Amino acid sequence: MNATKFRDRAEAGCALAAELSNYENRNDVIVLALPRGGVPVAFEVARALGAPLDVFLVRKLGVPGHEEYAMGAIAEGGAMVLSEDVIEQLAIPQRAVQAVVQRERAELERRARLYRNGPPPKLRGRTVILVDDGLATGSSMRAAVAALRSLDPASIVVAVPVAARETCEALRNEADEVVCARTPEPFHAVGLWYEDFEQTSDEEVGELLHHD
Protein backbone atom coordinates (compact mmCIF):
# COMPACT_ATOMS: atom_id res chain seq x y z
CA MET A 1 0.00 0.00 0.00
CA ASN A 2 1.35 3.38 -1.00
CA ALA A 3 0.24 6.06 1.47
CA THR A 4 1.97 9.04 -0.15
CA LYS A 5 -0.14 12.03 -1.16
CA PHE A 6 -1.27 12.79 -4.68
CA ARG A 7 -0.02 16.12 -5.99
CA ASP A 8 -3.50 17.04 -7.28
CA ARG A 9 -6.62 15.50 -8.82
CA ALA A 10 -5.00 15.18 -12.25
CA GLU A 11 -2.16 13.06 -10.87
CA ALA A 12 -4.70 11.01 -8.91
CA GLY A 13 -6.66 10.44 -12.13
CA CYS A 14 -3.55 9.15 -13.93
CA ALA A 15 -2.84 6.74 -11.05
CA LEU A 16 -6.45 5.54 -11.07
CA ALA A 17 -6.41 5.07 -14.86
CA ALA A 18 -3.48 2.67 -14.50
CA GLU A 19 -5.67 0.48 -12.26
CA LEU A 20 -8.42 0.43 -14.91
CA SER A 21 -6.33 -0.49 -17.97
CA ASN A 22 -8.48 -3.59 -18.66
CA TYR A 23 -11.30 -1.19 -19.69
CA GLU A 24 -9.16 0.55 -22.33
CA ASN A 25 -10.58 1.08 -25.84
CA ARG A 26 -13.87 -0.70 -25.18
CA ASN A 27 -16.94 0.56 -27.04
CA ASP A 28 -19.34 -0.18 -24.18
CA VAL A 29 -17.44 1.85 -21.55
CA ILE A 30 -18.40 5.35 -20.39
CA VAL A 31 -16.74 7.30 -17.56
CA LEU A 32 -19.10 9.30 -15.33
CA ALA A 33 -17.83 11.77 -12.75
CA LEU A 34 -19.53 12.90 -9.56
CA PRO A 35 -19.20 16.70 -9.72
CA ARG A 36 -17.43 18.66 -8.90
CA GLY A 37 -14.24 17.11 -7.46
CA GLY A 38 -14.62 13.88 -9.40
CA VAL A 39 -14.43 15.63 -12.77
CA PRO A 40 -10.65 16.38 -12.97
CA VAL A 41 -9.96 12.79 -11.84
CA ALA A 42 -12.42 11.28 -14.34
CA PHE A 43 -11.03 13.46 -17.15
CA GLU A 44 -7.65 11.72 -16.87
CA VAL A 45 -9.30 8.29 -16.59
CA ALA A 46 -11.46 8.84 -19.68
CA ARG A 47 -8.51 10.15 -21.68
CA ALA A 48 -6.31 7.17 -20.76
CA LEU A 49 -9.05 4.63 -21.50
CA GLY A 50 -10.20 6.27 -24.73
CA ALA A 51 -13.71 6.47 -23.29
CA PRO A 52 -16.37 9.22 -23.37
CA LEU A 53 -16.69 11.42 -20.28
CA ASP A 54 -19.81 12.86 -18.72
CA VAL A 55 -21.13 13.71 -15.26
CA PHE A 56 -23.64 11.78 -13.21
CA LEU A 57 -25.75 14.23 -11.26
CA VAL A 58 -27.16 12.90 -8.03
CA ARG A 59 -28.78 14.81 -5.16
CA LYS A 60 -29.31 13.46 -1.70
CA LEU A 61 -32.86 13.87 -0.35
CA GLY A 62 -32.43 15.18 3.18
CA VAL A 63 -34.96 14.62 5.95
CA PRO A 64 -36.84 17.93 6.51
CA GLY A 65 -35.21 19.71 9.44
CA HIS A 66 -32.33 17.21 9.49
CA GLU A 67 -30.97 17.64 5.98
CA GLU A 68 -27.72 15.80 6.67
CA TYR A 69 -29.76 12.61 7.23
CA ALA A 70 -30.73 11.01 3.89
CA MET A 71 -34.15 9.61 3.11
CA GLY A 72 -33.20 8.85 -0.48
CA ALA A 73 -31.60 10.26 -3.61
CA ILE A 74 -32.57 11.44 -7.08
CA ALA A 75 -30.51 11.39 -10.23
CA GLU A 76 -30.69 12.32 -13.88
CA GLY A 77 -32.90 10.29 -16.13
CA GLY A 78 -35.73 10.38 -13.59
CA ALA A 79 -34.08 7.87 -11.24
CA MET A 80 -35.26 8.08 -7.64
CA VAL A 81 -34.37 5.91 -4.68
CA LEU A 82 -36.37 6.31 -1.46
CA SER A 83 -35.55 4.79 1.92
CA GLU A 84 -39.11 3.78 2.77
CA ASP A 85 -38.03 2.52 6.20
CA VAL A 86 -36.60 5.95 7.13
CA ILE A 87 -39.71 7.76 5.82
CA GLU A 88 -41.99 5.40 7.74
CA GLN A 89 -39.92 5.41 10.93
CA LEU A 90 -39.86 9.22 11.07
CA ALA A 91 -43.48 9.50 9.88
CA ILE A 92 -42.55 11.97 7.14
CA PRO A 93 -45.70 12.95 5.21
CA GLN A 94 -45.73 12.23 1.48
CA ARG A 95 -46.30 15.94 0.86
CA ALA A 96 -43.02 16.77 2.63
CA VAL A 97 -41.13 14.12 0.67
CA GLN A 98 -42.46 15.52 -2.61
CA ALA A 99 -41.45 19.07 -1.62
CA VAL A 100 -37.85 17.92 -1.04
CA VAL A 101 -37.85 15.96 -4.32
CA GLN A 102 -39.10 19.03 -6.19
CA ARG A 103 -36.47 21.31 -4.67
CA GLU A 104 -33.59 18.92 -5.35
CA ARG A 105 -34.86 18.18 -8.88
CA ALA A 106 -34.66 21.92 -9.61
CA GLU A 107 -31.05 22.00 -8.40
CA LEU A 108 -30.25 18.88 -10.44
CA GLU A 109 -31.66 20.52 -13.56
CA ARG A 110 -29.74 23.74 -12.86
CA ARG A 111 -26.49 21.80 -12.70
CA ALA A 112 -27.35 19.79 -15.81
CA ARG A 113 -27.85 23.04 -17.76
CA LEU A 114 -24.60 24.39 -16.36
CA TYR A 115 -22.45 21.35 -17.08
CA ARG A 116 -23.68 19.99 -20.39
CA ASN A 117 -25.08 21.08 -23.74
CA GLY A 118 -27.45 18.21 -24.49
CA PRO A 119 -29.38 15.37 -22.87
CA PRO A 120 -27.68 12.93 -20.48
CA PRO A 121 -26.03 9.91 -22.13
CA LYS A 122 -27.95 6.66 -22.60
CA LEU A 123 -26.61 4.17 -20.05
CA ARG A 124 -28.71 1.07 -20.65
CA GLY A 125 -26.46 -1.91 -21.38
CA ARG A 126 -23.22 0.04 -20.92
CA THR A 127 -20.30 -0.49 -18.57
CA VAL A 128 -20.26 2.62 -16.38
CA ILE A 129 -17.12 3.66 -14.51
CA LEU A 130 -18.30 5.99 -11.73
CA VAL A 131 -15.48 8.24 -10.52
CA ASP A 132 -14.99 10.58 -7.55
CA ASP A 133 -11.85 12.11 -6.01
CA GLY A 134 -12.12 9.89 -2.92
CA LEU A 135 -14.42 8.13 -0.49
CA ALA A 136 -14.76 8.78 3.23
CA THR A 137 -18.22 7.57 4.30
CA GLY A 138 -19.24 6.95 0.69
CA SER A 139 -22.83 8.20 1.11
CA SER A 140 -22.90 10.20 -2.17
CA MET A 141 -21.38 7.30 -4.06
CA ARG A 142 -23.88 4.85 -2.58
CA ALA A 143 -26.75 7.12 -3.65
CA ALA A 144 -25.23 7.41 -7.12
CA VAL A 145 -24.88 3.62 -7.48
CA ALA A 146 -28.47 3.04 -6.35
CA ALA A 147 -29.83 5.68 -8.72
CA LEU A 148 -27.63 4.49 -11.58
CA ARG A 149 -28.80 0.89 -11.11
CA SER A 150 -32.35 1.94 -12.03
CA LEU A 151 -31.07 3.18 -15.43
CA ASP A 152 -30.14 -0.41 -16.33
CA PRO A 153 -26.40 -0.32 -17.13
CA ALA A 154 -24.72 -3.66 -17.83
CA SER A 155 -22.15 -3.08 -15.08
CA ILE A 156 -21.23 -0.40 -12.52
CA VAL A 157 -17.58 0.07 -11.60
CA VAL A 158 -16.88 2.45 -8.69
CA ALA A 159 -13.39 3.91 -9.10
CA VAL A 160 -11.55 6.33 -6.79
CA PRO A 161 -7.89 7.23 -6.23
CA VAL A 162 -8.09 7.08 -2.43
CA ALA A 163 -10.61 5.80 0.09
CA ALA A 164 -11.25 4.49 3.58
CA ARG A 165 -10.71 0.73 3.39
CA GLU A 166 -14.01 -0.16 5.11
CA THR A 167 -15.98 2.10 2.73
CA CYS A 168 -14.45 0.31 -0.26
CA GLU A 169 -15.36 -3.04 1.23
CA ALA A 170 -18.95 -1.96 1.96
CA LEU A 171 -19.43 -0.71 -1.61
CA ARG A 172 -18.46 -4.11 -3.01
CA ASN A 173 -21.94 -5.27 -1.95
CA GLU A 174 -23.57 -2.58 -4.13
CA ALA A 175 -21.38 -2.06 -7.22
CA ASP A 176 -20.26 -4.78 -9.64
CA GLU A 177 -16.62 -3.81 -9.11
CA VAL A 178 -14.83 -1.37 -6.78
CA VAL A 179 -11.38 -0.01 -7.59
CA CYS A 180 -9.69 2.00 -4.82
CA ALA A 181 -6.12 2.82 -5.90
CA ARG A 182 -4.99 3.59 -2.33
CA THR A 183 -6.53 2.79 1.04
CA PRO A 184 -4.20 4.45 3.59
CA GLU A 185 -4.76 3.97 7.32
CA PRO A 186 -5.67 5.83 9.40
CA PHE A 187 -7.75 7.57 6.71
CA HIS A 188 -9.53 10.54 8.41
CA ALA A 189 -10.48 12.60 5.30
CA VAL A 190 -10.08 12.62 1.51
CA GLY A 191 -8.38 16.03 1.44
CA LEU A 192 -5.49 14.83 3.61
CA TRP A 193 -4.26 12.65 0.74
CA TYR A 194 -3.87 15.52 -1.73
CA GLU A 195 -1.23 18.26 -1.64
CA ASP A 196 -3.61 20.46 -3.66
CA PHE A 197 -7.27 19.90 -2.74
CA GLU A 198 -8.68 23.25 -3.84
CA GLN A 199 -12.40 23.17 -4.58
CA THR A 200 -13.13 22.48 -8.26
CA SER A 201 -15.07 25.36 -9.84
CA ASP A 202 -18.10 25.14 -12.12
CA GLU A 203 -15.94 26.76 -14.82
CA GLU A 204 -13.30 24.03 -14.53
CA VAL A 205 -15.98 21.34 -14.72
CA GLY A 206 -17.36 22.91 -17.91
CA GLU A 207 -13.92 23.21 -19.51
CA LEU A 208 -13.01 19.58 -18.82
CA LEU A 209 -16.35 18.22 -19.99
CA HIS A 210 -16.19 20.13 -23.27
CA HIS A 211 -12.47 19.62 -23.86
CA ASP A 212 -11.71 18.44 -27.41
Side-chain angles (χ1 to χ4, degrees), residues 60 120 162 176:
K60 185 176 76 173
V162 65
D176 297 295

Side-chain angles (χ1 to χ4, degrees), residues 6-16 34 36-45 131-134 161 190-191 193-201 204 208:
F6 293 110
R7 187 172 62 246
D8 54 20
R9 289 181 178 89
E11 184 183 76
C14 293
L16 182 58
L34 295 191
R36 289 177 288 201
V39 176
V41 179
F43 176 79
E44 300 298 337
V45 171
V131 176
D132 206 351
D133 52 13
V190 173
W193 303 102
Y194 286 85
E195 287 170 21
D196 175 4
F197 198 63
E198 284 290 309
Q199 191 171 2
T200 306
S201 67
E204 190 182 350
L208 292 172

Side-chain angles (χ1 to χ4, degrees), residues 10-175:
E11 184 183 76
C14 293
L16 182 58
E19 304 278 333
L20 294 162
S21 56
N22 53 318
Y23 291 101
E24 205 172 327
N25 298 321
R26 278 179 38 179
N27 292 334
D28 64 318
V29 170
I30 183 168
V31 177
L32 296 184
L34 295 191
R36 289 177 288 201
V39 176
V41 179
F43 176 79
E44 300 298 337
V45 171
R47 184 157 65 173
L49 300 185
L53 170 68
D54 211 314
V55 286
F56 188 65
L57 296 170
V58 61
R59 296 289 297 173
K60 185 176 76 173
L61 300 174
V63 170
H66 303 277
E67 277 70 23
E68 72 290 345
Y69 190 39
M71 59 176 177
I74 58 167
E76 289 183 288
M80 180 163 70
V81 180
L82 291 177
S83 302
E84 297 292 356
D85 53 339
V86 172
I87 291 166
E88 198 174 318
Q89 193 182 339
L90 298 176
I92 303 166
Q94 200 56 40
R95 189 180 64 255
V97 173
Q98 286 310 312
V100 173
V101 169
Q102 210 168 354
R103 187 178 69 239
E104 295 301 343
R105 182 80 65 200
E107 176 59 16
L108 199 78
E109 286 165 4
R110 186 192 73 82
R111 289 190 177 207
R113 285 193 300 274
L114 195 62
Y115 295 154
R116 68 157 68 87
N117 296 324
K122 297 277 189 289
L123 302 176
R124 183 184 296 269
R126 300 186 78 170
T127 295
V128 176
I129 301 178
L130 203 49
V131 176
D132 206 351
D133 52 13
L135 294 173
T137 64
S139 57
S140 292
M141 185 62 84
R142 267 197 294 276
V145 170
L148 191 55
R149 191 68 76 190
S150 70
L151 301 178
D152 207 22
S155 176
I156 299 172
V157 181
V158 167
V160 293
V162 65
R165 186 189 298 270
E166 61 274 17
T167 303
C168 278
E169 292 307 317
L171 271 163
R172 291 187 205 287
N173 299 323
E174 298 172 47

